[in-house]
Amino acid sequence: MCGRFAVTLPPDAMAQLFQAVPGNDLPDVPNYNICPTNRVHVVVSDDSRRLTAMRWGFLPHWYKAENDGPLLINARAETIAEKPAFRAAVRERRCLIPVTGFYEWTKDAEGNRLPWYIHAAEGAPLAFAGIWQMWGHDDPVATCAIVTTAANQPMSAIHHRMPVILSPGDWPLWLGEAGHGAAPLMRAAPDELLAWHRVDRAVNSNRASGAELIAPNGEGAGGHL
């Protein structure tokens, strides 16, 4: 799964990277502790690509309120085409979610949650595969979820799931610009793509902020997934 992530790339740099027109009301960056229900940057494509903001937490059309059911921040690649909440979106409303890195947790012998920061080994931004949907009638809200898949072998040492990470060559197909047949893109990233390090437990709080959240804390620092 993916439950927290960081974005440090400025909106104009994001827009240039994805060749997208930026919206006027994008979330503030940098943000080193993006949590579920926060507004996040999302790239969508209709006649052209747009960089826009959406609520992280997909809301099915039958929810009468934002808390009317489970918080759907992730969608499993293995079942996304079958789940009533997601099946129309994965066919018709796919998006890219730019991130700088994301967090996962392991536990020590005493059961304490130990956070890890996971990022591209070469330092480049990552593009998560996402789906989106408008929710509500009077004041519609754009909502999204991150597509996840079984972890690759190195990542499985930290968590058994990981986000679907798309390379630039796959972006047009995922966004629907290059025809149909995006299902094969919902796979684990290459083993060599990611690196990781332990970070301070301060990030365990969803109220924590600041660049120090992604700084190595010296425990288990370094390595490649």
Side-chain angles (χ1 to χ4, degrees):
M1 65 172 295
C2 179
R4 304 271 193 90
F5 61 91
V7 174
T8 63
L9 201 63
D12 57 346
M14 271 189 261
Q16 183 176 4
L17 175 65
F18 293 96
Q19 299 181 316
V21 177
N24 296 322
D25 187 25
L26 297 172
D28 292 335
V29 288
N31 187 339
Y32 297 92
N33 193 10
I34 296 172
C35 303
T37 75
N38 286 173
R39 293 170 70 248
V40 299
H41 298 84
V42 173
V43 177
V44 297
S45 182
D46 31 50
D47 294 332
S48 60
R49 291 184 188 177
R50 295 181 290 113
L51 179 65
T52 187
M54 294 189 184
R55 175 193 188 269
W56 182 23
F58 191 95
L59 294 172
H61 66 84
W62 59 82
Y63 277 26
K64 294 181 174 59
E66 292 184 4
N67 60 354
D68 201 29
L71 182 58
L72 304 176
I73 61 171
N74 296 155
R76 294 174 66 93
E78 298 87 344
T79 57
I80 193 171
E82 306 162 7
K83 294 289 185 180
F86 303 136
R87 61 192 179 198
V90 77
R91 289 195 307 268
E92 304 164 7
R93 295 183 298 278
R94 298 189 296 269
C95 61
L96 303 173
I97 301 175
V99 311
T100 305
F102 62 103
Y103 301 94
E104 287 295 357
W105 282 259
T106 55
K107 289 186 178 181
D108 62 17
E110 288 74 42
N112 298 307
R113 298 180 74 232
L114 308 177
W116 298 79
Y117 181 65
I118 303 160
H119 56 94
E122 301 301 324
L126 300 171
F128 289 169
I131 56 173
W132 67 276
Q133 176 162 285
M134 298 300 296
W135 174 82
H137 300 288
D138 297 332
D139 189 15
V141 177
T143 72
C144 65
I146 294 167
V147 181
T148 67
T149 189
N152 59 25
Q153 192 278 328
M155 180 71 191
S156 64
I158 295 178
H159 199 277
H160 67 286
R161 304 287 298 175
M162 68 184 299
V164 171
I165 300 171
L166 300 174
S167 65
D170 292 332
W171 296 348
L173 183 56
W174 185 254
L175 290 173
E177 300 166 340
H180 303 288
L185 302 180
M186 294 189 287
R187 58 184 183 268
D191 288 357
E192 68 277 6
L193 177 67
L194 302 173
W196 83 96
H197 55 261
R198 269 288 315 282
V199 293
D200 193 270
R201 295 183 192 178
V203 77
N204 291 357
S205 169
N206 59 14
R207 294 183 295 275
S209 62
E212 64 275 10
L213 295 180
I214 67 172
N217 75 344
E219 299 179 29
H224 291 271
L225 291 170

